[in-house]
Amino acid sequence: MRQGSIPGAHGRVRPLTLLGDPVLHTPCTEVTDFGPELSRLVEDLFATMYAAQGVGLAANQVGVPLRVFVFDCPDDEDVRHLGHVVNPRLVEADGVVMRGPEGCLSLPGLEAGTERHDHAVVEGVTTTGDPITIHGTGFFARCLQHECDHLEGTVYADRVRGLRHRRLMRQVSRASWRR
């Protein structure tokens, strides 16, 4: 029998913030209130991420400019990583730089080859204020870097250059969610 509840089971699905909304390009503020509102936000982030079939979701992607993200993401060995981080800091991004397909729930249906390190370390705290350190490799490292970027006001499209960037922006301009 499973102990505890499934993340997001008690959350509500919130509308996603889409590319073009200023909250996605503004650095998020530190969390200072570790009360029930924060726990509700994390539950809502999980519920929203699962409803949208994502592997990670930052608070500003639901319009809340706080430094919080959730994840349920495999690494390259198909090991599942599940959790949340409050006030995360990307303390290490190293190893080989890999260009791989990257998408985002705030740019639904689109993806572009984006360069990321294949190893990342994030430090932060839980909703109860307990310190945590998360190590990621491969696809999970990409997820950690992607979500930390969101909290700094950066979306993956900002990291894409040249022809790939122009192609992605053409796709954005034609996307049904932009109309």
Side-chain angles (χ1 to χ4, degrees), residues 16-168:
L16 289 168
T17 304
L18 301 176
L19 185 68
D21 191 307
V23 74
L24 291 176
H25 290 286
T26 305
C28 294
T29 57
E30 293 279 317
V31 172
T32 56
D33 182 358
F34 286 81
E37 296 269 331
L38 178 59
S39 294
R40 273 194 294 282
L41 172 61
V42 168
E43 278 293 302
D44 290 355
L45 288 172
F46 272 115
T48 305
M49 177 184 72
Y50 290 138
Q53 300 179 340
V55 296
L57 187 67
N60 60 346
Q61 290 183 271
V62 295
V64 179
L66 290 175
R67 296 188 62 80
V68 181
F69 72 79
V70 299
F71 55 88
D72 187 346
C73 183
D75 60 24
D76 287 355
E77 281 72 48
D78 215 25
V79 174
R80 180 183 184 196
H81 300 271
L82 171 68
H84 71 276
V85 188
V86 178
N87 296 334
R89 289 181 324 127
L90 181 64
V91 296
E92 240 177 86
D94 59 9
V96 178
V97 174
M98 305 286 292
R99 180 182 302 145
E102 194 162 323
C104 180
L105 297 177
S106 293
L107 288 84
L110 304 180
E111 66 177 34
T114 307
E115 292 184 352
R116 299 281 187 186
H117 289 92
D118 70 347
H119 176 255
V121 179
V122 172
E123 293 178 349
V125 296
T126 65
T127 56
T128 57
D130 296 321
I132 55 171
T133 301
I134 301 163
H135 296 265
T137 59
F139 184 67
F140 183 46
R142 178 175 295 277
C143 174
L144 292 173
Q145 293 167 81
H146 179 106
E147 299 310 329
C148 283
D149 269 1
H150 270 302
L151 302 180
E152 297 299 329
T154 301
V155 295
Y156 83 92
D158 299 329
R159 292 190 170 273
V160 178
R161 300 281 178 253
L163 178 60
R164 283 188 314 283
H165 185 263
R166 289 190 297 278
R167 188 178 306 137
L168 179 60

